[in-house]
Amino acid sequence: MAEAPPVRRTRLAIVGSGPAGLTAAIYASRASLHPIVIAGVPSGGQLMLTTDVENYPGFPDGIQGPELIEKFRAQAARFGTEFVEANVTAVDLTRHPFVLEVGLMGRVEADAVIIATGANARWLDLPSEQRLRGHGVSACATCDGFFFKGKTVAVIGGGDSAMEEALFLTTFATHVLVIHRRGELRASKIMIDRARANPKISFVYDSEVVEVLGTETVEALRLRHRKTGALSKVPAEGLFLAIGHDPATAVFRGQLDLDPKGYLKTTEGTRTSVPGVFAGGDAYDHRYRQAVTAAGLGCMAALDAERYLAEHPAGHARSAVPAMAPSETV
């Protein structure tokens, strides 16, 4: 008979290892909760795909995204955080302790859970785009716009987020080209009017990027007109994706209340619809999406979890909650 997978028992499990999850771990471990961080594979969140980070407090000369994550992680480990290098494949939040399945590594049982799985920017999935991520290709104008002073950049998208990104980039860039695959923008009228009124912004409709040109950095874009198929080349030294984000919450669907876009719903701070389960970072914050705000929300989640655990000693039986449908892998 096959040996049963191991079970790890903890007062607090943290799912995710970006700024939110690791900040939560720092606070929880300093409170002697001995948290287990289920880091995910790959771990570290979107900062692992970021080169220069110049807007995180405490680093006047900037810092590389992966280095910043490593500092977060080392600080959490210093206070006793345990890390599990695996993905959560299923959860059961209808029983107590909560059960988190981590594939071949077994399961983690926890009295409280912080979900800090983040959200992933949507990309074009072009090889050239992937090669130049962090070298002129970005999904965050607020994070990277500063690096494009005096340059021409392009924004892909047609919604409010794309208009916001384009308007923000005019602070630095000499020209912003908005590229939209449809013939009309999807943004609200007020945002469209603001963008069209800005002399630094121009628009290309019914077009899609088929290749990002450049060796070391972005130099130009190859576009295809979706109606005629005609190819064209436009100069650009930066490319910003503004076609949306997808929260990494699929594994919790049917277990927790989500909004129509899949973000975790919270009340009274970071509390989710299940007592003892808390949210941190971009898994529920779909507005700011910054490393520093994610870290702050991770702190909040840890403080809320600490208070919850103080009120519910180990082994405390929660009120039963209705059984939910099985989950998916995240």
Side-chain angles (χ1 to χ4, degrees), residues 198-234:
N198 193 306
K200 286 188 174 184
I201 299 176
S202 61
F203 299 84
V204 175
Y205 298 100
D206 293 314
S207 299
E208 58 188 1
V209 175
V210 294
E211 187 178 6
V212 183
L213 304 174
T215 304
E216 300 296 330
T217 61
V218 175
E219 298 173 5
L221 306 173
R222 194 176 308 282
L223 307 184
R224 178 171 58 210
H225 195 275
R226 300 186 73 242
K227 292 183 177 178
T228 66
L231 296 176
S232 62
K233 179 181 175 181
V234 296

PDB file of all heavy atoms in Angstrom, residues 198-234:
ATOM      1  N   ASN A 198      -5.139  65.150 -25.200  1.00  0.00           N
ATOM      2  CA  ASN A 198      -3.713  65.293 -24.894  1.00  0.00           C
ATOM      3  C   ASN A 198      -2.911  65.257 -26.195  1.00  0.00           C
ATOM      4  O   ASN A 198      -2.947  64.266 -26.925  1.00  0.00           O
ATOM      5  CB  ASN A 198      -3.264  64.160 -23.971  1.00  0.00           C
ATOM      6  CG  ASN A 198      -1.896  64.428 -23.376  1.00  0.00           C
ATOM      7  OD1 ASN A 198      -0.934  64.674 -24.090  1.00  0.00           O
ATOM      8  ND2 ASN A 198      -1.797  64.380 -22.061  1.00  0.00           N
ATOM      9  N   PRO A 199      -2.193  66.312 -26.507  1.00  0.00           N
ATOM     10  CA  PRO A 199      -1.467  66.371 -27.794  1.00  0.00           C
ATOM     11  C   PRO A 199      -0.348  65.350 -27.916  1.00  0.00           C
ATOM     12  O   PRO A 199       0.128  65.103 -29.031  1.00  0.00           O
ATOM     13  CB  PRO A 199      -0.924  67.804 -27.815  1.00  0.00           C
ATOM     14  CG  PRO A 199      -0.845  68.209 -26.375  1.00  0.00           C
ATOM     15  CD  PRO A 199      -1.996  67.533 -25.708  1.00  0.00           C
ATOM     16  N   LYS A 200       0.056  64.752 -26.824  1.00  0.00           N
ATOM     17  CA  LYS A 200       1.139  63.764 -26.880  1.00  0.00           C
ATOM     18  C   LYS A 200       0.641  62.358 -27.234  1.00  0.00           C
ATOM     19  O   LYS A 200       1.452  61.458 -27.441  1.00  0.00           O
ATOM     20  CB  LYS A 200       1.869  63.692 -25.528  1.00  0.00           C
ATOM     21  CG  LYS A 200       2.774  64.871 -25.229  1.00  0.00           C
ATOM     22  CD  LYS A 200       3.575  64.597 -23.975  1.00  0.00           C
ATOM     23  CE  LYS A 200       4.600  65.678 -23.696  1.00  0.00           C
ATOM     24  NZ  LYS A 200       5.432  65.344 -22.506  1.00  0.00           N
ATOM     25  N   ILE A 201      -0.675  62.167 -27.272  1.00  0.00           N
ATOM     26  CA  ILE A 201      -1.237  60.836 -27.486  1.00  0.00           C
ATOM     27  C   ILE A 201      -1.854  60.741 -28.874  1.00  0.00           C
ATOM     28  O   ILE A 201      -2.606  61.620 -29.297  1.00  0.00           O
ATOM     29  CB  ILE A 201      -2.299  60.505 -26.420  1.00  0.00           C
ATOM     30  CG1 ILE A 201      -1.685  60.519 -25.025  1.00  0.00           C
ATOM     31  CG2 ILE A 201      -2.934  59.144 -26.688  1.00  0.00           C
ATOM     32  CD1 ILE A 201      -2.688  60.293 -23.899  1.00  0.00           C
ATOM     33  N   SER A 202      -1.535  59.665 -29.592  1.00  0.00           N
ATOM     34  CA  SER A 202      -2.191  59.358 -30.862  1.00  0.00           C
ATOM     35  C   SER A 202      -2.660  57.912 -30.829  1.00  0.00           C
ATOM     36  O   SER A 202      -2.274  57.131 -29.948  1.00  0.00           O
ATOM     37  CB  SER A 202      -1.243  59.594 -32.044  1.00  0.00           C
ATOM     38  OG  SER A 202      -0.107  58.743 -31.943  1.00  0.00           O
ATOM     39  N   PHE A 203      -3.508  57.537 -31.798  1.00  0.00           N
ATOM     40  CA  PHE A 203      -4.180  56.247 -31.748  1.00  0.00           C
ATOM     41  C   PHE A 203      -4.006  55.484 -33.063  1.00  0.00           C
ATOM     42  O   PHE A 203      -4.004  56.071 -34.148  1.00  0.00           O
ATOM     43  CB  PHE A 203      -5.675  56.439 -31.474  1.00  0.00           C
ATOM     44  CG  PHE A 203      -5.964  57.112 -30.160  1.00  0.00           C
ATOM     45  CD1 PHE A 203      -5.938  58.499 -30.053  1.00  0.00           C
ATOM     46  CD2 PHE A 203      -6.245  56.365 -29.029  1.00  0.00           C
ATOM     47  CE1 PHE A 203      -6.198  59.129 -28.842  1.00  0.00           C
ATOM     48  CE2 PHE A 203      -6.502  56.974 -27.812  1.00  0.00           C
ATOM     49  CZ  PHE A 203      -6.477  58.358 -27.725  1.00  0.00           C
ATOM     50  N   VAL A 204      -3.887  54.171 -32.931  1.00  0.00           N
ATOM     51  CA  VAL A 204      -3.901  53.264 -34.074  1.00  0.00           C
ATOM     52  C   VAL A 204      -4.969  52.216 -33.803  1.00  0.00           C
ATOM     53  O   VAL A 204      -4.899  51.512 -32.788  1.00  0.00           O
ATOM     54  CB  VAL A 204      -2.535  52.576 -34.291  1.00  0.00           C
ATOM     55  CG1 VAL A 204      -2.633  51.550 -35.417  1.00  0.00           C
ATOM     56  CG2 VAL A 204      -1.467  53.607 -34.609  1.00  0.00           C
ATOM     57  N   TYR A 205      -5.954  52.114 -34.687  1.00  0.00           N
ATOM     58  CA  TYR A 205      -7.077  51.206 -34.475  1.00  0.00           C
ATOM     59  C   TYR A 205      -6.984  49.974 -35.374  1.00  0.00           C
ATOM     60  O   TYR A 205      -6.222  49.942 -36.351  1.00  0.00           O
ATOM     61  CB  TYR A 205      -8.398  51.929 -34.747  1.00  0.00           C
ATOM     62  CG  TYR A 205      -8.656  53.104 -33.829  1.00  0.00           C
ATOM     63  CD1 TYR A 205      -8.421  54.418 -34.244  1.00  0.00           C
ATOM     64  CD2 TYR A 205      -9.134  52.899 -32.539  1.00  0.00           C
ATOM     65  CE1 TYR A 205      -8.664  55.490 -33.390  1.00  0.00           C
ATOM     66  CE2 TYR A 205      -9.381  53.969 -31.679  1.00  0.00           C
ATOM     67  CZ  TYR A 205      -9.136  55.255 -32.120  1.00  0.00           C
ATOM     68  OH  TYR A 205      -9.365  56.314 -31.277  1.00  0.00           O
ATOM     69  N   ASP A 206      -7.780  48.966 -35.025  1.00  0.00           N
ATOM     70  CA  ASP A 206      -7.880  47.733 -35.819  1.00  0.00           C
ATOM     71  C   ASP A 206      -6.507  47.114 -36.074  1.00  0.00           C
ATOM     72  O   ASP A 206      -6.269  46.540 -37.144  1.00  0.00           O
ATOM     73  CB  ASP A 206      -8.574  48.005 -37.167  1.00  0.00           C
ATOM     74  CG  ASP A 206     -10.034  48.378 -36.994  1.00  0.00           C
ATOM     75  OD1 ASP A 206     -10.733  47.689 -36.227  1.00  0.00           O
ATOM     76  OD2 ASP A 206     -10.472  49.369 -37.610  1.00  0.00           O
ATOM     77  N   SER A 207      -5.622  47.218 -35.106  1.00  0.00           N
ATOM     78  CA  SER A 207      -4.253  46.737 -35.299  1.00  0.00           C
ATOM     79  C   SER A 207      -3.781  45.964 -34.081  1.00  0.00           C
ATOM     80  O   SER A 207      -4.232  46.204 -32.955  1.00  0.00           O
ATOM     81  CB  SER A 207      -3.297  47.911 -35.567  1.00  0.00           C
ATOM     82  OG  SER A 207      -3.663  48.605 -36.746  1.00  0.00           O
ATOM     83  N   GLU A 208      -2.873  45.032 -34.317  1.00  0.00           N
ATOM     84  CA  GLU A 208      -2.283  44.245 -33.239  1.00  0.00           C
ATOM     85  C   GLU A 208      -0.790  44.125 -33.451  1.00  0.00           C
ATOM     86  O   GLU A 208      -0.297  44.112 -34.585  1.00  0.00           O
ATOM     87  CB  GLU A 208      -2.928  42.860 -33.172  1.00  0.00           C
ATOM     88  CG  GLU A 208      -2.824  42.059 -34.444  1.00  0.00           C
ATOM     89  CD  GLU A 208      -3.649  40.785 -34.389  1.00  0.00           C
ATOM     90  OE1 GLU A 208      -4.312  40.556 -33.361  1.00  0.00           O
ATOM     91  OE2 GLU A 208      -3.630  40.026 -35.376  1.00  0.00           O
ATOM     92  N   VAL A 209      -0.055  44.051 -32.349  1.00  0.00           N
ATOM     93  CA  VAL A 209       1.390  43.873 -32.410  1.00  0.00           C
ATOM     94  C   VAL A 209       1.697  42.408 -32.689  1.00  0.00           C
ATOM     95  O   VAL A 209       1.216  41.519 -31.985  1.00  0.00           O
ATOM     96  CB  VAL A 209       2.055  44.304 -31.090  1.00  0.00           C
ATOM     97  CG1 VAL A 209       3.553  44.014 -31.113  1.00  0.00           C
ATOM     98  CG2 VAL A 209       1.809  45.792 -30.822  1.00  0.00           C
ATOM     99  N   VAL A 210       2.471  42.145 -33.713  1.00  0.00           N
ATOM    100  CA  VAL A 210       2.846  40.765 -34.043  1.00  0.00           C
ATOM    101  C   VAL A 210       4.311  40.496 -33.738  1.00  0.00           C
ATOM    102  O   VAL A 210       4.739  39.340 -33.684  1.00  0.00           O
ATOM    103  CB  VAL A 210       2.546  40.445 -35.524  1.00  0.00           C
ATOM    104  CG1 VAL A 210       1.047  40.468 -35.773  1.00  0.00           C
ATOM    105  CG2 VAL A 210       3.276  41.401 -36.468  1.00  0.00           C
ATOM    106  N   GLU A 211       5.091  41.563 -33.504  1.00  0.00           N
ATOM    107  CA  GLU A 211       6.497  41.375 -33.154  1.00  0.00           C
ATOM    108  C   GLU A 211       7.030  42.637 -32.494  1.00  0.00           C
ATOM    109  O   GLU A 211       6.722  43.751 -32.905  1.00  0.00           O
ATOM    110  CB  GLU A 211       7.329  41.058 -34.404  1.00  0.00           C
ATOM    111  CG  GLU A 211       8.769  40.683 -34.096  1.00  0.00           C
ATOM    112  CD  GLU A 211       9.566  40.330 -35.335  1.00  0.00           C
ATOM    113  OE1 GLU A 211       9.023  40.491 -36.449  1.00  0.00           O
ATOM    114  OE2 GLU A 211      10.731  39.923 -35.193  1.00  0.00           O
ATOM    115  N   VAL A 212       7.819  42.422 -31.446  1.00  0.00           N
ATOM    116  CA  VAL A 212       8.530  43.523 -30.795  1.00  0.00           C
ATOM    117  C   VAL A 212       9.957  43.493 -31.326  1.00  0.00           C
ATOM    118  O   VAL A 212      10.670  42.496 -31.166  1.00  0.00           O
ATOM    119  CB  VAL A 212       8.509  43.378 -29.266  1.00  0.00           C
ATOM    120  CG1 VAL A 212       9.186  44.580 -28.615  1.00  0.00           C
ATOM    121  CG2 VAL A 212       7.084  43.228 -28.758  1.00  0.00           C
ATOM    122  N   LEU A 213      10.390  44.574 -31.952  1.00  0.00           N
ATOM    123  CA  LEU A 213      11.687  44.616 -32.607  1.00  0.00           C
ATOM    124  C   LEU A 213      12.732  45.258 -31.698  1.00  0.00           C
ATOM    125  O   LEU A 213      12.450  46.243 -31.014  1.00  0.00           O
ATOM    126  CB  LEU A 213      11.578  45.397 -33.915  1.00  0.00           C
ATOM    127  CG  LEU A 213      10.516  44.877 -34.910  1.00  0.00           C
ATOM    128  CD1 LEU A 213      10.396  45.809 -36.101  1.00  0.00           C
ATOM    129  CD2 LEU A 213      10.867  43.466 -35.370  1.00  0.00           C
ATOM    130  N   GLY A 214      13.912  44.685 -31.721  1.00  0.00           N
ATOM    131  CA  GLY A 214      15.005  45.194 -30.907  1.00  0.00           C
ATOM    132  C   GLY A 214      15.874  44.061 -30.417  1.00  0.00           C
ATOM    133  O   GLY A 214      15.396  42.937 -30.223  1.00  0.00           O
ATOM    134  N   THR A 215      17.142  44.359 -30.210  1.00  0.00           N
ATOM    135  CA  THR A 215      18.094  43.332 -29.748  1.00  0.00           C
ATOM    136  C   THR A 215      18.220  43.345 -28.230  1.00  0.00           C
ATOM    137  O   THR A 215      17.891  42.371 -27.558  1.00  0.00           O
ATOM    138  CB  THR A 215      19.475  43.551 -30.389  1.00  0.00           C
ATOM    139  OG1 THR A 215      19.334  43.572 -31.815  1.00  0.00           O
ATOM    140  CG2 THR A 215      20.429  42.424 -29.992  1.00  0.00           C
ATOM    141  N   GLU A 216      18.669  44.457 -27.680  1.00  0.00           N
ATOM    142  CA  GLU A 216      18.839  44.576 -26.241  1.00  0.00           C
ATOM    143  C   GLU A 216      17.645  45.264 -25.579  1.00  0.00           C
ATOM    144  O   GLU A 216      17.302  44.949 -24.442  1.00  0.00           O
ATOM    145  CB  GLU A 216      20.121  45.350 -25.928  1.00  0.00           C
ATOM    146  CG  GLU A 216      21.388  44.713 -26.471  1.00  0.00           C
ATOM    147  CD  GLU A 216      21.681  43.359 -25.845  1.00  0.00           C
ATOM    148  OE1 GLU A 216      21.297  43.165 -24.673  1.00  0.00           O
ATOM    149  OE2 GLU A 216      22.274  42.515 -26.526  1.00  0.00           O
ATOM    150  N   THR A 217      17.051  46.206 -26.302  1.00  0.00           N
ATOM    151  CA  THR A 217      15.878  46.926 -25.803  1.00  0.00           C
ATOM    152  C   THR A 217      14.884  47.080 -26.950  1.00  0.00           C
ATOM    153  O   THR A 217      15.194  46.790 -28.109  1.00  0.00           O
ATOM    154  CB  THR A 217      16.250  48.314 -25.255  1.00  0.00           C
ATOM    155  OG1 THR A 217      16.820  49.088 -26.320  1.00  0.00           O
ATOM    156  CG2 THR A 217      17.248  48.195 -24.113  1.00  0.00           C
ATOM    157  N   VAL A 218      13.694  47.562 -26.613  1.00  0.00           N
ATOM    158  CA  VAL A 218      12.671  47.777 -27.639  1.00  0.00           C
ATOM    159  C   VAL A 218      13.088  48.921 -28.557  1.00  0.00           C
ATOM    160  O   VAL A 218      13.500  49.991 -28.091  1.00  0.00           O
ATOM    161  CB  VAL A 218      11.310  48.092 -26.992  1.00  0.00           C
ATOM    162  CG1 VAL A 218      10.265  48.430 -28.052  1.00  0.00           C
ATOM    163  CG2 VAL A 218      10.842  46.918 -26.141  1.00  0.00           C
ATOM    164  N   GLU A 219      12.994  48.678 -29.865  1.00  0.00           N
ATOM    165  CA  GLU A 219      13.338  49.701 -30.854  1.00  0.00           C
ATOM    166  C   GLU A 219      12.156  50.066 -31.747  1.00  0.00           C
ATOM    167  O   GLU A 219      12.054  51.204 -32.216  1.00  0.00           O
ATOM    168  CB  GLU A 219      14.505  49.219 -31.716  1.00  0.00           C
ATOM    169  CG  GLU A 219      15.782  48.964 -30.916  1.00  0.00           C
ATOM    170  CD  GLU A 219      16.873  48.326 -31.757  1.00  0.00           C
ATOM    171  OE1 GLU A 219      16.663  48.179 -32.994  1.00  0.00           O
ATOM    172  OE2 GLU A 219      17.926  47.972 -31.201  1.00  0.00           O
ATOM    173  N   ALA A 220      11.265  49.110 -32.003  1.00  0.00           N
ATOM    174  CA  ALA A 220      10.117  49.357 -32.874  1.00  0.00           C
ATOM    175  C   ALA A 220       9.121  48.217 -32.707  1.00  0.00           C
ATOM    176  O   ALA A 220       9.412  47.196 -32.054  1.00  0.00           O
ATOM    177  CB  ALA A 220      10.553  49.482 -34.331  1.00  0.00           C
ATOM    178  N   LEU A 221       7.945  48.394 -33.294  1.00  0.00           N
ATOM    179  CA  LEU A 221       6.898  47.380 -33.246  1.00  0.00           C
ATOM    180  C   LEU A 221       6.434  47.069 -34.658  1.00  0.00           C
ATOM    181  O   LEU A 221       6.297  47.974 -35.487  1.00  0.00           O
ATOM    182  CB  LEU A 221       5.709  47.875 -32.420  1.00  0.00           C
ATOM    183  CG  LEU A 221       5.988  48.367 -31.008  1.00  0.00           C
ATOM    184  CD1 LEU A 221       4.723  48.984 -30.414  1.00  0.00           C
ATOM    185  CD2 LEU A 221       6.516  47.241 -30.132  1.00  0.00           C
ATOM    186  N   ARG A 222       6.179  45.799 -34.906  1.00  0.00           N
ATOM    187  CA  ARG A 222       5.570  45.424 -36.169  1.00  0.00           C
ATOM    188  C   ARG A 222       4.089  45.177 -35.924  1.00  0.00           C
ATOM    189  O   ARG A 222       3.720  44.365 -35.071  1.00  0.00           O
ATOM    190  CB  ARG A 222       6.222  44.170 -36.762  1.00  0.00           C
ATOM    191  CG  ARG A 222       5.836  43.951 -38.231  1.00  0.00           C
ATOM    192  CD  ARG A 222       6.554  42.768 -38.852  1.00  0.00           C
ATOM    193  NE  ARG A 222       7.998  42.821 -38.679  1.00  0.00           N
ATOM    194  CZ  ARG A 222       8.816  43.589 -39.401  1.00  0.00           C
ATOM    195  NH1 ARG A 222       8.313  44.404 -40.317  1.00  0.00           N
ATOM    196  NH2 ARG A 222      10.117  43.556 -39.194  1.00  0.00           N
ATOM    197  N   LEU A 223       3.252  45.903 -36.676  1.00  0.00           N
ATOM    198  CA  LEU A 223       1.813  45.817 -36.512  1.00  0.00           C
ATOM    199  C   LEU A 223       1.173  45.121 -37.710  1.00  0.00           C
ATOM    200  O   LEU A 223       1.680  45.194 -38.829  1.00  0.00           O
ATOM    201  CB  LEU A 223       1.200  47.218 -36.368  1.00  0.00           C
ATOM    202  CG  LEU A 223       1.769  48.150 -35.300  1.00  0.00           C
ATOM    203  CD1 LEU A 223       0.965  49.437 -35.266  1.00  0.00           C
ATOM    204  CD2 LEU A 223       1.792  47.485 -33.945  1.00  0.00           C
ATOM    205  N   ARG A 224       0.035  44.499 -37.442  1.00  0.00           N
ATOM    206  CA  ARG A 224      -0.773  43.924 -38.517  1.00  0.00           C
ATOM    207  C   ARG A 224      -2.171  44.510 -38.421  1.00  0.00           C
ATOM    208  O   ARG A 224      -2.806  44.462 -37.362  1.00  0.00           O
ATOM    209  CB  ARG A 224      -0.839  42.401 -38.417  1.00  0.00           C
ATOM    210  CG  ARG A 224      -1.729  41.769 -39.513  1.00  0.00           C
ATOM    211  CD  ARG A 224      -1.608  40.266 -39.516  1.00  0.00           C
ATOM    212  NE  ARG A 224      -1.979  39.715 -38.212  1.00  0.00           N
ATOM    213  CZ  ARG A 224      -1.460  38.584 -37.704  1.00  0.00           C
ATOM    214  NH1 ARG A 224      -0.545  37.925 -38.372  1.00  0.00           N
ATOM    215  NH2 ARG A 224      -1.860  38.152 -36.533  1.00  0.00           N
ATOM    216  N   HIS A 225      -2.650  45.047 -39.532  1.00  0.00           N
ATOM    217  CA  HIS A 225      -4.015  45.560 -39.568  1.00  0.00           C
ATOM    218  C   HIS A 225      -4.972  44.383 -39.635  1.00  0.00           C
ATOM    219  O   HIS A 225      -4.849  43.514 -40.500  1.00  0.00           O
ATOM    220  CB  HIS A 225      -4.217  46.473 -40.793  1.00  0.00           C
ATOM    221  CG  HIS A 225      -5.441  47.306 -40.698  1.00  0.00           C
ATOM    222  ND1 HIS A 225      -6.685  46.847 -41.079  1.00  0.00           N
ATOM    223  CD2 HIS A 225      -5.628  48.587 -40.267  1.00  0.00           C
ATOM    224  CE1 HIS A 225      -7.579  47.789 -40.896  1.00  0.00           C
ATOM    225  NE2 HIS A 225      -6.962  48.863 -40.390  1.00  0.00           N
ATOM    226  N   ARG A 226      -5.893  44.316 -38.705  1.00  0.00           N
ATOM    227  CA  ARG A 226      -6.735  43.128 -38.557  1.00  0.00           C
ATOM    228  C   ARG A 226      -7.761  42.987 -39.669  1.00  0.00           C
ATOM    229  O   ARG A 226      -8.289  41.895 -39.886  1.00  0.00           O
ATOM    230  CB  ARG A 226      -7.431  43.156 -37.193  1.00  0.00           C
ATOM    231  CG  ARG A 226      -6.452  43.175 -36.034  1.00  0.00           C
ATOM    232  CD  ARG A 226      -7.110  43.066 -34.693  1.00  0.00           C
ATOM    233  NE  ARG A 226      -7.614  41.709 -34.458  1.00  0.00           N
ATOM    234  CZ  ARG A 226      -8.878  41.391 -34.275  1.00  0.00           C
ATOM    235  NH1 ARG A 226      -9.809  42.333 -34.324  1.00  0.00           N
ATOM    236  NH2 ARG A 226      -9.232  40.150 -34.038  1.00  0.00           N
ATOM    237  N   LYS A 227      -8.048  44.051 -40.401  1.00  0.00           N
ATOM    238  CA  LYS A 227      -9.021  43.960 -41.492  1.00  0.00           C
ATOM    239  C   LYS A 227      -8.362  43.685 -42.838  1.00  0.00           C
ATOM    240  O   LYS A 227      -8.878  42.918 -43.654  1.00  0.00           O
ATOM    241  CB  LYS A 227      -9.850  45.243 -41.562  1.00  0.00           C
ATOM    242  CG  LYS A 227     -10.782  45.438 -40.367  1.00  0.00           C
ATOM    243  CD  LYS A 227     -11.628  46.690 -40.528  1.00  0.00           C
ATOM    244  CE  LYS A 227     -12.610  46.840 -39.366  1.00  0.00           C
ATOM    245  NZ  LYS A 227     -13.425  48.086 -39.487  1.00  0.00           N
ATOM    246  N   THR A 228      -7.210  44.301 -43.055  1.00  0.00           N
ATOM    247  CA  THR A 228      -6.550  44.142 -44.356  1.00  0.00           C
ATOM    248  C   THR A 228      -5.384  43.159 -44.328  1.00  0.00           C
ATOM    249  O   THR A 228      -4.960  42.657 -45.370  1.00  0.00           O
ATOM    250  CB  THR A 228      -6.033  45.500 -44.851  1.00  0.00           C
ATOM    251  OG1 THR A 228      -4.983  45.949 -43.964  1.00  0.00           O
ATOM    252  CG2 THR A 228      -7.152  46.523 -44.874  1.00  0.00           C
ATOM    253  N   GLY A 229      -4.848  42.901 -43.135  1.00  0.00           N
ATOM    254  CA  GLY A 229      -3.674  42.036 -43.025  1.00  0.00           C
ATOM    255  C   GLY A 229      -2.371  42.734 -43.330  1.00  0.00           C
ATOM    256  O   GLY A 229      -1.298  42.123 -43.273  1.00  0.00           O
ATOM    257  N   ALA A 230      -2.425  44.018 -43.655  1.00  0.00           N
ATOM    258  CA  ALA A 230      -1.220  44.760 -44.014  1.00  0.00           C
ATOM    259  C   ALA A 230      -0.310  44.909 -42.798  1.00  0.00           C
ATOM    260  O   ALA A 230      -0.766  45.146 -41.678  1.00  0.00           O
ATOM    261  CB  ALA A 230      -1.601  46.132 -44.552  1.00  0.00           C
ATOM    262  N   LEU A 231       1.001  44.774 -43.040  1.00  0.00           N
ATOM    263  CA  LEU A 231       1.993  44.915 -41.985  1.00  0.00           C
ATOM    264  C   LEU A 231       2.606  46.304 -42.033  1.00  0.00           C
ATOM    265  O   LEU A 231       2.789  46.884 -43.113  1.00  0.00           O
ATOM    266  CB  LEU A 231       3.092  43.865 -42.137  1.00  0.00           C
ATOM    267  CG  LEU A 231       2.668  42.396 -41.991  1.00  0.00           C
ATOM    268  CD1 LEU A 231       3.850  41.473 -42.269  1.00  0.00           C
ATOM    269  CD2 LEU A 231       2.110  42.137 -40.596  1.00  0.00           C
ATOM    270  N   SER A 232       2.942  46.829 -40.880  1.00  0.00           N
ATOM    271  CA  SER A 232       3.598  48.123 -40.799  1.00  0.00           C
ATOM    272  C   SER A 232       4.576  48.110 -39.638  1.00  0.00           C
ATOM    273  O   SER A 232       4.515  47.251 -38.747  1.00  0.00           O
ATOM    274  CB  SER A 232       2.574  49.257 -40.619  1.00  0.00           C
ATOM    275  OG  SER A 232       1.857  49.085 -39.403  1.00  0.00           O
ATOM    276  N   LYS A 233       5.481  49.065 -39.648  1.00  0.00           N
ATOM    277  CA  LYS A 233       6.485  49.169 -38.598  1.00  0.00           C
ATOM    278  C   LYS A 233       6.406  50.561 -37.998  1.00  0.00           C
ATOM    279  O   LYS A 233       6.415  51.564 -38.732  1.00  0.00           O
ATOM    280  CB  LYS A 233       7.875  48.909 -39.178  1.00  0.00           C
ATOM    281  CG  LYS A 233       9.013  49.024 -38.179  1.00  0.00           C
ATOM    282  CD  LYS A 233      10.342  48.763 -38.885  1.00  0.00           C
ATOM    283  CE  LYS A 233      11.533  48.975 -37.958  1.00  0.00           C
ATOM    284  NZ  LYS A 233      12.823  48.737 -38.667  1.00  0.00           N
ATOM    285  N   VAL A 234       6.295  50.629 -36.675  1.00  0.00           N
ATOM    286  CA  VAL A 234       6.223  51.938 -36.013  1.00  0.00           C
ATOM    287  C   VAL A 234       7.345  52.023 -34.980  1.00  0.00           C
ATOM    288  O   VAL A 234       7.642  51.050 -34.286  1.00  0.00           O
ATOM    289  CB  VAL A 234       4.849  52.160 -35.333  1.00  0.00           C
ATOM    290  CG1 VAL A 234       3.735  52.191 -36.363  1.00  0.00           C
ATOM    291  CG2 VAL A 234       4.576  51.104 -34.282  1.00  0.00           C
TER     292      VAL A 234
END
